[in-house]
Amino acid sequence: MYRRLLINIYQVRHGFIHTQNTRLPSTKCKERESFAPVIWAPCTARPLGTSSISFNENKESSTSLSEDKEKRPEENEAKEEVNTDGQKSTEMNECTEISNATLASQLETETVDRPEDSKQVEKTKSGKESLLELLGAMKVEVTTVRKIRPSKTPRMSARADQEPMESTHSMFQHATAEGSQQHGTLNPALVAAVSAAASTLPNRHQAESELLKQLRKHEAVPDTQRRADGQNIGHIIADMKVGRRTNGRSNASPTSHIRFDDDGKGYTQDRGITGELDAVRRRRSPFTSKRLNIFTAGMEQDTLSDLGPTLWDIDLANQIVQATNQTPRNGFEEMIQWTKDGKLWQYPINNEAGLEEEASVPFHEHVFLEKHLDESFPRQGPVRHFMELVITGLAKNHQLTVQQKKEHIDWFRDYFRQKDDVLKEAEA
Amino acid sequence: MDQSQLAMVVPRRYLLSEPPSAPVMASSCSQALRHHVCKSSRILRIHLQKSYRSFALNSAADQQPAVSSPEEIVIPKKKTWSKEAVLQALASAVKRDPTASDSRFQDDPYLTPKTSSEFKLFSLSQESGRNAAKYFINTYPKYFQKDYAQPHIPCLMPETLEAQIEEASEAALIERIRMRKVKAAVDLYDQLLQAGTSVSLDVTNQLLDLICFCGDHDPAQENVPEQRNEETEDVQDEPQAKKGRAPKASGLLKATWKENNNAERIFALLSEPNTHSYSALIRGMVKYGAYSKAFSTYTDLLNNRLKADVQTFNALIIAAPEVKEKYNEKWELIVDLLKQMAEQKVKPNLLTLNAVLKALRRCGTLGKSQAFPVISEMKALSIDPSLASYNHLLTIFYKTGATIQGQTDILQEVMNEVSGKSFTAQDPDDAQFFITAMRICLDTKDMEQAYRVHELLGVGENWRLLGNDFQQNIYYARFFSLLCMMENIDVMLKWYRDLVPSVYYPSSNIMRDLLQALDTDNRLDLIPQIWKDIKQLGHANRQNLVEELLILMAREKHNQEVQESFAECALDIKKIYDTGDRGKVLLSWTAGSLSDLISVLLAAHRRQDAWEMLKLFKTHNRVPSEELLNRFLTCVKEAGEVNQAVELVQISAGFCLPETPKLIQRVQQEFELTEQQRNMLSDLEIQTFNSD
């Protein structure tokens, strides 16, 4: 049976591809892909009547196990029929949808369709046993939800694209109990808003499609998730199968309920206790374990008088430096080392590097040195002339600091003072 | 400003199309020009904004008003860059070149090291050259007084190693302490006390620090060059410290704390010792192995109603495992110390954490239960563990030689904690982490964690924490043996090409592992390449490695191309056997290696070379195997060389091999022999028959 199911899926998928090609370049195509085998089973794989039933059986098992556990397998069989009926009705729905899609803007027919669809389901349901009503009611609930919504949303051209697929989509989604509710509820509102916004603009269709494109981008993440689910459908079916086998025809117990993961992970029993323990262990890192509770966190330290680095601190720094690799890896790192040593000109290059003490001395102190010649030198004569030459030279000297220049002049002052008598003799 | 110019300029601002750089009359002064440019640029800006707005309105999708308002341009504040910022940016742009050697050796291609011993030699000689220069400068400072550098470079000038202040004063004492002249300082201190001069407590504490640090010995004279040829690291502010290092390391083992040494004497002389004095004494005692004495000093401290400082506690925690026998007693003592720290409101630091963890390494199973609470405690005090802490943690959980069961998680947890983080060195033990982690990976055969460890090494400045060249070698050797064991050969070779020889010179053992890995993955065709590397790495003289290589080459048949390269490789190996190093024969032929070599040559149809090799059996007194001779004969037959076949039989007979009759038979059957040869063979037959 399992193999048959798989074959069915493959055929269905192929069928789906064809239909997809012939049908809509719809925005929702990708989204639907995940549910394609289920949705299109009745539509494209029509000759495979039995296989579609087997599909239903599986769907049934999942719903029965997850939703209403008290149901008996015998009743499942009965329900299958109901479901196939329901599916036939949806087939019809699909067909109308196709026409809808091609017409794209004929909304009225669509809304007419919808109640019909639900009515059909109800009709088939009314003929069956009362126990089955539970399932039926669920379906009706789903469809009624869908039924109400279109009336709320403003009828725009965008909705024509979205809605028909939305409805069947979400219906089967609920029927197979693997879809997410919020996706169905979120989208029409958004679409409505989009079309409302678009209607305010002159170029309505273009703006709308642009906005929808933007929306689709936001939906890309859940879309991909769902696609992954779709890829896992084989697993899901396989798991369902095993679940049925092991449980046989007995009551679906709560434990078997656990085995079916909604998120497509499927059968989880194999992982067992060890796996769970692993997870627990992983969650609790030893680094977040309890502490010794000796110190209090906000403790303040009595500040000791710091006398700069002691011998011990220097030794520690040395040990660290020695232990680690300090060799430069490239020329630049070597240059960094040299810069730190003070062997290299510092970047950014500054022509006044090393002249820090001169930085505060204004230039005129360097250049105008006449004020130092005042009292102790003669006002005129060869000494004065000589000294003027000296200060001219000093003014142009950029090697000496102002202090050194002063000292230079002072030296001459002393010198001429010592030679005072000689000078006087010479000049008289 | 000139009125006429203003009149000329002002109307211009009404011309919106006027570009800001419109020519202004040459006569306009700079102020007018600036005014004009300012105005017109503002107009231009407003104009641009207007057009932008209208544009924004046109695009219907964007309903929001344009955000930019005519705000003043905020000129960012001037940022002062550190002097290394530019270089750091440049350095970070340079990636390691796997084909180049270490940057230290790039100056001179002749000195590019090819083997690990060359690497060691070259790097050390570079350092020792530097040290020698420094030694001469410091020993003969009078010749190095000329200061060429402008601005002055202090680190190039000779250091003053002689005390400058002669008279007995506190300043002289400080100078001697700074120069780490223990004996001189103690003598001077005694002189000062005898003269009745009081020495301040701070200076006395410094003196105590010095004595305790050096263990009351003068640090061995640092001017001995041969003791200093390890790498010098530049700690500019304290060049003395690095010099005392090498002797200190050796002296540490011998030096012990002597009863009533100068430190204790001077300490006893103090009228009111403070925390610092006690701290110095206790740390000195711990450093020089007087552990119980340290604890009694600590009791003294408590009796004097003083508080200890964090360094004292760190020292005591280090000493704790030494004074107690049992694991739980050790741990209780540590917990007690920690409690006293909390009581005295001393905030622990990272070194406290590491000291506790280090002590826990010696507490047996208690370590495993207490290590994580300790780390949590420190984390609660916002002390982040350094790599040393993780190293201690790993050593606690993975004992060397012990079988590891279910402990793999700890390494994983540690890696989860550290991966992606950049660490700075805070503890001398930080440099142990990588080799410990890699050892554990090797022990547990955990390739995944090994990759994570290696990845961590590449983060930020973490490579510095791998330690010196020796440790790097250990690390990479472990990494490579793990790779050889666990990885497939392609991945292995990728790493090999990346790391060898630019950062790692594999030992001969690693090369053997590599050969085995090649064997496992059936990539023996790479052997000639590997042989080239082996030769370059200087392992060509390793007998067992070469023999292993020959066995692998001879073992299986390969396609013609591979056999050809094998034969080239084999001849290359033969050369190594022949030449030797400086007349000294490095490798000696064994029967196995000879026959392997010959079979490699035969497989490549190099009969002539093989024939030459066969003669070597005789010269080296080795006996060829029967199998080899049979194979040789087959090969000879293919070539149809009758003479050689007969000669082969003669050689075989010369070795008196039991196989000889069979060989003779084969030759007689398979070859077309001349009469002479036939006679010769029958003679040989008779001979062997007789000898039997």
Side-chain angles (χ1 to χ4, degrees):
Chain A
M1 184 169 162
Y2 173 50
R3 197 181 296 155
R4 211 170 59 192
L5 267 174
L6 278 181
I7 290 165
N8 188 14
I9 286 168
Y10 288 136
Q11 281 167 341
V12 159
R13 276 197 180 150
H14 282 296
F16 169 70
I17 289 161
H18 290 309
T19 46
Q20 190 193 1
N21 288 343
T22 51
R23 225 173 151 233
L24 311 161
S26 150
T27 57
K28 288 291 142 190
C29 270
K30 280 187 179 148
E31 210 169 87
R32 304 194 69 200
E33 203 175 312
S34 56
F35 304 102
V38 185
I39 295 165
W40 294 98
C43 219
T44 57
R46 205 179 283 256
L48 295 160
T50 48
S51 59
S52 72
I53 286 167
S54 71
F55 242 109
N56 280 331
E57 202 174 301
N58 271 301
K59 270 185 278 172
E60 215 53 84
S61 71
S62 70
T63 44
S64 64
L65 286 168
S66 54
E67 303 278 330
D68 21 36
K69 284 164 248 164
E70 76 281 358
K71 277 185 188 162
R72 306 258 159 78
E74 304 95 62
E75 288 151 11
N76 279 354
E77 246 97 344
K79 260 187 281 168
E80 278 160 31
E81 293 170 41
V82 182
N83 222 28
T84 42
D85 286 357
Q87 262 187 350
K88 264 165 203 159
S89 71
T90 48
E91 269 169 45
M92 287 165 66
N93 193 14
E94 295 273 356
C95 295
T96 49
E97 269 176 43
I98 290 167
S99 61
N100 269 351
T102 47
L103 292 172
S105 57
Q106 288 186 3
L107 305 168
E108 308 312 315
T109 53
E110 220 271 289
T111 43
V112 172
D113 258 4
R114 205 156 290 278
E116 265 177 22
D117 167 29
S118 60
K119 262 177 232 162
Q120 274 169 347
V121 176
E122 276 171 273
K123 234 181 272 168
T124 47
K125 177 196 72 188
S126 62
K128 300 294 169 185
E129 294 163 46
S130 59
L131 259 174
L132 284 174
E133 273 186 71
L134 211 64
L135 180 72
M138 187 191 75
K139 294 207 162 182
V140 172
E141 227 172 62
V142 171
T143 42
T144 44
V145 166
R146 306 300 314 151
K147 201 166 55 181
I148 294 158
R149 200 159 290 120
S151 62
K152 279 183 194 166
T153 51
R155 283 158 198 185
M156 292 299 163
S157 59
R159 208 190 55 98
D161 282 345
Q162 305 287 323
E163 278 308 297
M165 284 158 280
E166 246 359 277
S167 60
T168 43
H169 173 176
S170 59
M171 215 174 84
F172 284 102
Q173 202 174 320
H174 285 273
T176 50
E178 57 173 293
S180 56
Q181 183 92 23
Q182 72 265 60
H183 175 73
T185 54
L186 176 79
N187 227 0
L190 277 173
V191 172
V194 163
S195 44
S199 65
T200 60
L201 301 172
N203 193 358
R204 182 174 160 166
H205 288 282
Q206 198 194 329
E208 197 181 338
S209 65
E210 271 171 14
L211 290 172
L212 280 173
K213 208 183 284 171
Q214 199 60 31
L215 268 180
R216 238 167 287 143
K217 249 181 239 168
H218 289 292
E219 276 177 7
V221 180
D223 267 8
T224 47
Q225 274 177 357
R226 213 152 292 142
R227 220 169 298 148
D229 288 358
Q231 281 158 4
N232 279 340
I233 196 155
H235 291 286
I236 294 167
I237 290 168
D239 295 339
M240 286 169 180
K241 185 110 173 64
V242 175
R244 268 181 80 87
R245 275 274 159 78
T246 48
N247 288 320
R249 297 265 147 187
S250 66
N251 278 343
S253 62
T255 51
S256 64
H257 169 63
I258 294 168
R259 284 180 197 167
F260 300 105
D261 272 6
D262 284 357
D263 55 347
K265 277 181 188 157
Y267 202 53
T268 54
Q269 203 187 31
D270 287 353
R271 274 184 256 158
I273 290 169
T274 51
E276 268 170 45
L277 280 182
D278 254 355
V280 169
R281 206 181 300 152
R282 206 160 296 138
R283 233 170 286 140
R284 200 199 303 141
S285 162
F287 285 101
T288 55
S289 63
K290 62 173 173 52
R291 43 179 286 215
L292 288 175
N293 281 321
I294 292 174
F295 297 96
T296 47
M299 200 167 64
E300 281 188 20
Q301 190 176 10
D302 296 352
T303 44
L304 298 163
S305 56
D306 260 341
L307 300 163
T310 62
L311 208 56
W312 302 95
D313 298 334
I314 293 157
D315 178 55
L316 177 73
N318 253 320
Q319 281 181 19
I320 290 171
V321 165
Q322 200 194 343
T324 53
N325 182 6
Q326 298 293 333
T327 49
R329 284 183 304 178
N330 52 50
F332 292 122
E333 285 184 350
E334 199 169 16
M335 282 166 82
I336 291 174
Q337 193 59 53
W338 288 342
T339 311
K340 281 177 184 163
D341 293 353
K343 294 177 191 168
L344 203 69
W345 279 87
Q346 294 173 4
Y347 285 102
I349 292 290
N350 175 13
N351 283 336
E352 289 169 9
L355 298 173
E356 282 77 18
E357 73 228 33
E358 287 292 289
S360 57
V361 181
F363 84 100
H364 58 81
E365 298 265 323
H366 276 278
V367 177
F368 304 120
L369 298 165
E370 284 90 349
K371 58 180 176 182
H372 301 299
L373 296 185
D374 283 346
E375 66 291 338
S376 48
F377 292 100
R379 290 238 159 245
Q380 54 199 8
V383 173
R384 178 76 192 185
H385 182 63
F386 173 78
M387 281 317 292
E388 272 167 3
L389 287 177
V390 166
I391 60 165
T392 313
L394 284 176
K396 291 177 179 177
N397 192 331
H398 54 270
Q399 306 282 0
L400 301 179
T401 63
V402 170
Q403 193 53 43
Q404 281 169 320
K405 288 177 183 179
K406 270 184 206 160
E407 281 166 12
H408 205 81
I409 295 166
D410 287 345
W411 185 86
F412 279 113
R413 184 179 291 130
D414 281 352
Y415 179 80
F416 288 126
R417 200 170 286 153
Q418 282 167 16
K419 308 285 174 185
D420 209 19
D421 40 344
V422 181
L423 287 172
K424 276 195 179 126
E425 248 176 59
E427 278 179 314
Chain B
M1 200 195 309
D2 196 338
Q3 284 291 331
S4 66
Q5 277 164 6
L6 189 64
M8 266 185 60
V9 169
V10 170
R12 282 177 192 271
R13 65 179 174 163
Y14 296 109
L15 300 170
L16 288 180
S17 60
E18 184 79 37
S21 60
V24 183
M25 281 188 69
S27 63
S28 64
C29 72
S30 65
Q31 213 174 350
L33 179 66
R34 207 187 310 146
H35 182 78
H36 166 71
V37 168
C38 192
K39 285 269 193 248
S40 57
S41 71
R42 201 197 303 161
I43 288 160
L44 186 72
R45 204 169 63 201
I46 290 165
H47 182 66
L48 275 175
Q49 270 166 13
K50 268 185 193 160
S51 64
Y52 174 69
R53 269 199 196 142
S54 60
F55 177 74
L57 280 171
N58 280 340
S59 70
D62 197 354
Q63 300 276 345
Q64 285 190 331
V67 183
S68 59
S69 53
E71 280 171 22
E72 281 307 305
I73 296 167
V74 181
I75 297 164
K77 279 186 183 147
K78 185 189 174 188
K79 187 169 164 63
T80 39
W81 296 94
S82 79
K83 52 189 178 179
E84 297 110 23
V86 175
L87 290 171
Q88 271 162 356
L90 287 170
S92 67
V94 180
K95 295 276 173 288
R96 191 178 69 84
D97 177 8
T99 59
S101 62
D102 195 283
S103 76
R104 273 175 281 178
F105 308 114
Q106 283 172 5
D107 288 343
D108 191 348
Y110 179 74
L111 292 176
T112 302
K114 292 184 193 69
T115 68
S116 58
S117 58
E118 273 181 7
F119 177 83
K120 211 185 216 167
L121 183 68
F122 293 165
S123 55
L124 288 185
S125 50
Q126 197 177 35
E127 282 307 320
S128 70
R130 262 180 215 145
N131 286 331
K134 198 97 185 159
Y135 168 75
F136 273 102
I137 291 174
N138 288 338
T139 321
Y140 305 103
K142 58 181 174 177
Y143 300 122
F144 300 96
Q145 289 305 327
K146 183 108 178 94
D147 189 5
Y148 293 98
Q150 188 65 252
H152 178 66
I153 301 172
C155 75
L156 293 183
M157 299 309 285
E159 292 156 16
T160 46
L161 296 173
E162 295 303 318
Q164 304 293 310
I165 309 169
E166 289 301 325
E167 79 273 21
S169 69
E170 203 171 298
L173 182 59
I174 292 170
E175 191 190 31
R176 277 157 184 75
I177 291 170
R178 197 176 49 75
M179 290 184 163
R180 302 196 178 186
K181 293 181 179 299
V182 178
K183 282 227 157 54
V186 171
D187 289 348
L188 192 65
Y189 182 79
D190 289 343
Q191 275 179 35
L192 283 172
L193 283 193
Q194 275 167 13
T197 332
S198 68
V199 180
S200 75
L201 187 60
D202 273 347
V203 178
T204 317
N205 283 342
Q206 282 182 36
L207 178 62
L208 268 178
D209 265 343
L210 177 69
I211 300 168
C212 294
F213 175 74
C214 301
D216 201 11
H217 296 284
D218 255 331
Q221 202 37 262
E222 55 266 13
N223 282 351
V224 188
E226 58 263 36
Q227 290 194 334
R228 295 166 48 209
N229 54 7
E230 58 184 291
E231 292 179 331
T232 49
E233 316 301 353
D234 293 293
V235 181
Q236 205 47 52
D237 53 349
E238 198 49 54
Q240 294 272 5
K242 76 183 171 204
K243 290 189 181 156
R245 222 170 43 207
K248 184 198 69 198
S250 56
L252 193 64
L253 298 172
K254 290 177 282 180
T256 48
W257 189 263
K258 288 200 187 71
E259 200 73 24
N260 292 323
N261 64 6
N262 282 322
E264 285 184 35
R265 191 170 57 82
I266 291 171
F267 183 78
L269 289 173
L270 285 175
S271 54
E272 277 187 5
N274 65 1
T275 304
H276 192 149
S277 332
Y278 275 107
S279 168
L281 201 61
I282 291 172
R283 292 173 88 177
M285 285 168 174
V286 172
K287 186 174 176 185
Y288 290 99
Y291 302 113
S292 45
K293 220 176 168 81
F295 274 96
S296 61
T297 314
Y298 175 63
T299 324
D300 268 5
L301 179 146
L302 291 181
N303 289 339
N304 282 340
R305 293 163 195 280
L306 284 169
K307 287 177 177 179
D309 59 359
V310 64
Q311 285 90 1
T312 314
F313 279 115
N314 291 352
L316 288 173
I317 288 168
I318 290 167
E322 310 282 350
V323 292
K324 297 284 179 186
E325 286 287 316
K326 288 178 185 159
Y327 290 155
N328 57 339
E329 282 176 356
K330 288 177 185 177
W331 176 239
E332 275 160 22
L333 182 58
I334 292 168
V335 170
D336 190 42
L337 282 169
L338 289 175
K339 278 179 181 154
Q340 288 181 39
M341 277 178 93
E343 228 167 73
Q344 296 176 25
K345 292 211 166 66
V346 177
K347 197 170 187 285
N349 58 15
L350 176 71
L351 294 174
T352 318
L353 166 68
N354 289 347
V356 172
L357 286 173
K358 200 169 183 174
L360 273 175
R361 281 164 69 165
R362 300 174 57 186
C363 289
T365 47
L366 257 173
K368 291 186 187 180
S369 58
Q370 298 301 329
F372 283 113
V374 169
I375 288 180
S376 305
E377 178 80 16
M378 294 304 160
K379 273 188 175 169
L381 298 175
S382 62
I383 299 168
D384 279 331
S386 75
L387 282 184
S389 329
Y390 293 115
N391 174 48
H392 295 319
L393 192 66
L394 289 176
T395 348
I396 287 168
F397 279 93
Y398 300 89
K399 296 263 183 257
T400 35
T403 50
I404 301 120
Q405 285 265 310
Q407 299 291 356
T408 346
D409 290 358
I410 300 297
L411 179 62
Q412 204 178 338
E413 291 293 347
V414 169
M415 289 317 296
N416 286 346
E417 284 285 306
V418 299
S419 58
K421 284 187 198 166
S422 175
F423 287 89
T424 47
Q426 289 166 293
D427 187 302
D429 286 334
D430 277 351
Q432 298 294 321
F433 173 79
F434 282 106
I435 51 175
T436 311
M438 202 39 98
R439 169 177 68 78
I440 292 159
C441 291
L442 182 60
D443 287 350
T444 55
K445 314 250 183 306
D446 193 343
M447 200 65 236
E448 188 195 344
Q449 300 303 325
Y451 281 136
R452 289 180 77 185
V453 172
H454 195 69
E455 196 184 342
L456 178 68
L457 188 62
V459 176
E461 294 272 277
N462 286 352
W463 61 273
R464 289 198 189 278
L465 299 173
L466 183 52
N468 54 26
D469 298 328
F470 179 64
Q471 283 175 313
Q472 274 178 40
N473 252 331
I474 296 174
Y475 171 84
Y476 281 114
R478 284 172 180 167
F479 186 46
F480 264 94
S481 24
L482 187 60
L483 279 171
C484 288
M485 241 187 292
M486 306 299 291
E487 267 303 354
N488 80 43
I489 196 70
D490 290 328
V491 180
M492 164 72 208
L493 283 176
K494 198 180 91 349
W495 283 106
Y496 178 80
R497 299 277 167 241
D498 190 40
L499 297 175
V500 176
S502 66
V503 290
Y504 174 55
Y505 301 93
S507 65
S508 62
N509 284 335
I510 298 293
M511 291 316 281
R512 277 181 77 177
D513 286 350
L514 176 61
L515 286 179
Q516 275 156 11
L518 285 177
D519 187 17
T520 339
D521 268 13
N522 256 333
R523 290 297 301 277
L524 291 176
D525 53 313
L526 295 173
I527 283 183
Q529 279 179 20
I530 303 294
W531 164 249
K532 269 183 203 153
D533 290 350
I534 288 174
K535 220 166 55 164
Q536 203 186 34
L537 289 166
H539 299 314
N541 53 359
R542 302 293 168 112
Q543 181 108 21
N544 48 9
L545 185 64
V546 174
E547 278 175 18
E548 171 121 19
L549 194 88
L550 285 171
I551 288 170
L552 285 177
M553 282 201 296
R555 203 181 58 197
E556 284 162 36
K557 277 264 174 198
H558 302 271
N559 64 31
Q560 197 53 42
E561 205 175 317
V562 176
Q563 288 294 0
E564 202 60 34
S565 64
F566 276 10
E568 288 295 332
C569 176
L571 289 176
D572 205 32
I573 292 173
K574 178 174 170 280
K575 258 182 236 157
I576 300 282
Y577 272 93
D578 288 345
T579 52
D581 189 23
R582 295 185 209 107
K584 201 177 81 187
V585 179
L586 297 168
L587 297 166
S588 58
W589 287 109
T590 61
S593 55
L594 269 175
S595 58
D596 284 335
L597 225 164
I598 291 171
S599 24
V600 169
L601 290 174
L602 286 178
H605 304 291
R606 300 215 178 185
R607 202 165 33 79
Q608 206 48 49
D609 290 323
W611 186 250
E612 302 277 312
M613 293 296 302
L614 198 62
K615 286 173 184 163
L616 286 176
F617 274 106
K618 189 86 184 166
T619 48
H620 290 277
N621 292 325
R622 307 276 176 225
V623 182
S625 67
E626 296 156 4
E627 192 198 345
L628 178 73
L629 291 177
N630 268 321
R631 202 182 300 164
F632 210 116
L633 192 61
T634 319
C635 198
V636 169
K637 182 174 176 291
E638 276 166 25
E641 289 274 348
V642 186
N643 287 332
Q644 213 164 37
V646 176
E647 262 183 86
L648 187 72
V649 174
Q650 279 173 329
I651 287 171
S652 169
F655 286 115
C656 299
L657 289 178
E659 190 74 358
T660 316
K662 282 182 200 158
L663 281 176
I664 293 168
Q665 217 172 354
R666 267 189 74 184
V667 173
Q668 280 168 340
Q669 283 165 6
E670 294 172 14
F671 289 85
E672 288 187 11
L673 300 166
T674 60
E675 194 58 37
Q676 197 186 357
Q677 284 163 338
R678 218 177 283 279
N679 290 338
M680 206 184 288
L681 282 181
S682 46
D683 279 355
L684 277 176
E685 209 168 2
I686 294 157
Q687 268 177 26
T688 49
F689 181 75
N690 285 345
S691 66
D692 282 349

